[in-house]
Amino acid sequence: MLPTIKSEFRKLLTVRSTYIFMIVSLLVVALFAGYGDGFRASSGALKSPGALMTESYNAIEFAGLILSFVGILLVGHEYRYNTIMYTLTTTNRRLKVLGAKFLAVSVFAIVMGLVVSFFSPLCTILGAHFHGRHISPQHFEYWTVIWRCAFVGWGYAMYSFILGILLRNQVGSIVTFLLIPLLGENIIAHVFASTANYLPFAMLQATVDPTGLGNHTTTAHAATVSLTYVVVGLIVSSVLFLRRDAN
């Protein structure tokens, strides 16, 4: 099992796309948090005691979406270049391969989620400092920020990972992954208002911003619904991964 895990981490960390998504996400956070919410921020915005926590949450909601594409590519690259056959023949069980991929994506998503969540407020502080602005004393709950941002980053990555296994096509997985939160969930929420508290991406985002939906969603409810989608998705994708042909 250990050689399989090392192999998946090697695949993840030796492709350019991984580092491209990392750099893009950090640049976007630096632009919005450092320049938009720091250098260009009004004095009133910097007086809010929860400004830096909000920066962390905003960063993971957007940057987490970018970083999650790594989950699709780790699976999609193998099917695109037909290297999945070699991967499956190097181990005696397919479930080991899937577990190793799951572990690699999870570790990457959680680590980068935490990096982004603390990089964002740092950029805001530096941006305000360079413009000669003063940030008022902040109320920053470290453990709350850590678990929420790590969970959201991991949740995004799991959604993309599951789609990659189900569709086994990079373009199809990426398009589906973008259309569901940007278009699909908005249409469903407008047509069936009662479903707003049970949509996968909406609930994942509500984990860090439960008031964003305006329907009294709690953090516990949002996290539970999101985790349910991940667990069910992993079960279904695992069964299909084990039973379908390799290519």
Side-chain angles (χ1 to χ4, degrees), residues 7 10 13 18 28 34 39 44 46 66 72-73 84 110 114-115 130-131 146 156 159 161 169 175 179 190 213 237 239:
S7 175
R10 191 179 303 113
L13 299 176
T18 299
V28 169
F39 189 84
L46 297 177
I66 298 175
I72 291 177
L73 296 180
I84 189 65
I110 292 173
L114 294 177
V115 169
F130 287 136
H131 199 199
I146 287 173
Y156 273 132
Y159 286 168
F161 179 65
N169 180 277
V175 171
L179 286 180
H190 278 87
L213 296 177
S237 59
V239 171

Side-chain angles (χ1 to χ4, degrees), residues 94-95 98-99 161 165-166 231-244:
R94 287 191 178 189
L95 199 58
L98 191 62
F161 179 65
I165 298 172
L166 292 176
V231 171
V232 173
L234 287 174
I235 292 173
V236 173
S237 59
S238 298
V239 171
L240 293 177
F241 185 79
L242 294 174
R243 299 196 174 202
R244 289 192 294 186

Side-chain angles (χ1 to χ4, degrees), residues 1-15 18-19 22 70 74 78 87 96-111:
M1 183 63 182
L2 188 58
T4 306
I5 294 174
K6 289 182 178 179
S7 175
E8 295 303 325
F9 274 101
R10 191 179 303 113
K11 293 172 188 175
L12 181 66
L13 299 176
T14 54
V15 293
T18 299
Y19 298 97
M22 289 171 60
V70 172
L74 183 62
E78 298 235 59
T87 300
K96 289 183 179 180
V97 174
L98 191 62
K101 290 184 182 295
F102 167 81
L103 183 60
V105 173
S106 295
V107 171
F108 174 83
I110 292 173
V111 170

Side-chain angles (χ1 to χ4, degrees), residues 8 11 74-75 77-90 94 97 101 168 241 245-247:
E8 295 303 325
K11 293 172 188 175
L74 183 62
V75 178
H77 277 324
E78 298 235 59
Y79 287 102
R80 180 181 179 183
Y81 298 107
N82 202 29
T83 58
I84 189 65
M85 298 290 293
Y86 300 98
T87 300
L88 295 177
T89 55
T90 57
R94 287 191 178 189
V97 174
K101 290 184 182 295
R168 302 198 294 187
F241 185 79
D245 291 338
N247 56 0

